[in-house]
């Protein structure tokens, strides 16, 4: 169960709660109104940190800014490849969305993490037999990925900069040649 799964429930229960609010006592109304006001203040401070004296580059969303430019930089600084292998599910989503041209994207085979939709699509990876890939992650190339290729060499280390030009993440890129067609291991649980 993920934290966002019950979100539709909140939206459908809101009208029911609103109907109860009208007949509630004064203390209940004051507590709920105070809760709403506090929520609005927290949300405003989160989305606009400069309102509470926090510099733009140091706000809570610092790490979610700069994705597109960082990925474009990886694209321009890396050799061409037939497909991408990313170290994390979240990275795979970012690269699938922002990569400047259409390309197949896979998440590295790691049976200790939870299964995701990229694992369902991984069964077609054999179509890239003999092809080249870019492995992109935050760390060194894992042996269970490099063993599926004839050779893998470091291609680039690309920093991704935030709005204030500070480094928010650094991508390690490896160019891997001649994929052997070996499928990813199958997951036995979600």
């Amino acid at each position: 169960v993920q934290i966002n799964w019950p979100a539709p429930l909140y939206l459908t229960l809101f009208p029911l709660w609103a109907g109860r609010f009208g007949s509630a006592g004064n203390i209940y109304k004051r507590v709920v109104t105070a809760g709403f006001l506090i929520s609005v203040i927290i949300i405003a401070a989160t989305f606009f940190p400069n309102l509470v004296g926090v510099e733009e580059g140091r706000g809570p969303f610092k790490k979610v800014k700069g994705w597109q430019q960082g990925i474009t930089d990886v694209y321009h600084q890396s050799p061409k490849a037939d497909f991408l292998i990313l170290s994390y599910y979240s990275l795979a989503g970012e690269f699938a969305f922002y990569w400047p041209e259409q390309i197949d994207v896979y998440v590295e085979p790691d049976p200790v993490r939870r299964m995701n939709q990229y694992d369902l699509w991984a069964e077609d990876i054999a179509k890239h037999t003999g092809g080249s890939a870019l492995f992109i992650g935050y760390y060194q190339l894992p042996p269970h990925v490099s063993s599926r290729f004839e050779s893998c060499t470091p291609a680039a280390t690309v920093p991704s900069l935030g709005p204030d030009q500070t480094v928010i993440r650094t991508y390690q890129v490896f160019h891997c040649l001649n994929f052997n067609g070996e499928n990813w291991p199958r997951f036995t649980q979600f």
Side-chain angles (χ1 to χ4, degrees):
V1 175
Q2 299 298 311
I3 195 166
N4 62 333
W5 289 4
L9 181 67
Y10 303 144
L11 296 175
T12 56
L13 288 177
F14 188 75
L16 296 174
W17 172 83
R20 166 114 168 74
F21 186 73
S23 62
N26 282 340
I27 293 176
Y28 179 77
K29 287 181 180 180
R30 286 181 184 155
V31 168
V32 170
T33 303
F36 274 127
L37 290 175
I38 290 170
S39 296
V40 167
I41 291 168
I42 290 172
I43 290 170
T46 301
F47 283 100
F48 307 103
N50 55 339
L51 293 177
V52 292
V54 177
E55 298 172 21
E56 178 68 29
R58 300 185 59 84
F61 291 121
K62 174 185 175 182
K63 289 188 176 186
V64 299
K65 295 181 179 180
W67 288 349
Q68 187 169 5
Q69 185 57 50
I71 293 169
T72 301
D73 292 345
V74 169
Y75 174 80
H76 290 295
Q77 294 179 35
S78 302
K80 296 293 181 203
D82 301 314
F83 62 106
L84 304 178
I85 302 172
L86 287 298
S87 59
Y88 294 105
Y89 165 77
S90 57
L91 267 181
E94 294 168 19
F95 275 78
F97 189 78
Y98 288 119
W99 196 255
E101 57 189 45
Q102 187 172 356
I103 192 166
D104 288 341
V105 175
Y106 302 94
V107 178
E108 82 169 82
D110 183 1
V112 298
R113 64 171 165 74
R114 73 177 177 87
M115 187 176 181
N116 59 63
Q117 76 263 26
Y118 289 101
D119 298 312
L120 300 174
W121 303 330
E123 292 186 7
D124 76 340
I125 196 166
K127 72 181 181 185
H128 294 292
T129 300
S132 65
L134 292 177
F135 174 83
I136 304 166
Y138 299 132
Y139 51 82
Q140 294 301 312
L141 179 69
H144 61 269
V145 173
S146 62
S147 66
R148 290 174 163 81
F149 293 89
E150 186 177 293
S151 67
C152 291
T153 56
T157 299
V158 183
S160 181
L161 304 177
D164 62 348
Q165 299 304 303
T166 60
V167 176
I168 53 176
R169 66 182 69 84
T170 301
Y171 300 115
Q172 302 295 328
V173 183
F174 295 84
H175 190 220
C176 299
L177 301 174
N178 198 11
F179 178 59
N180 68 13
E182 182 182 339
N183 276 329
W184 288 170
R186 289 191 171 271
F187 282 78
T188 56
Q189 61 185 6
F190 292 91

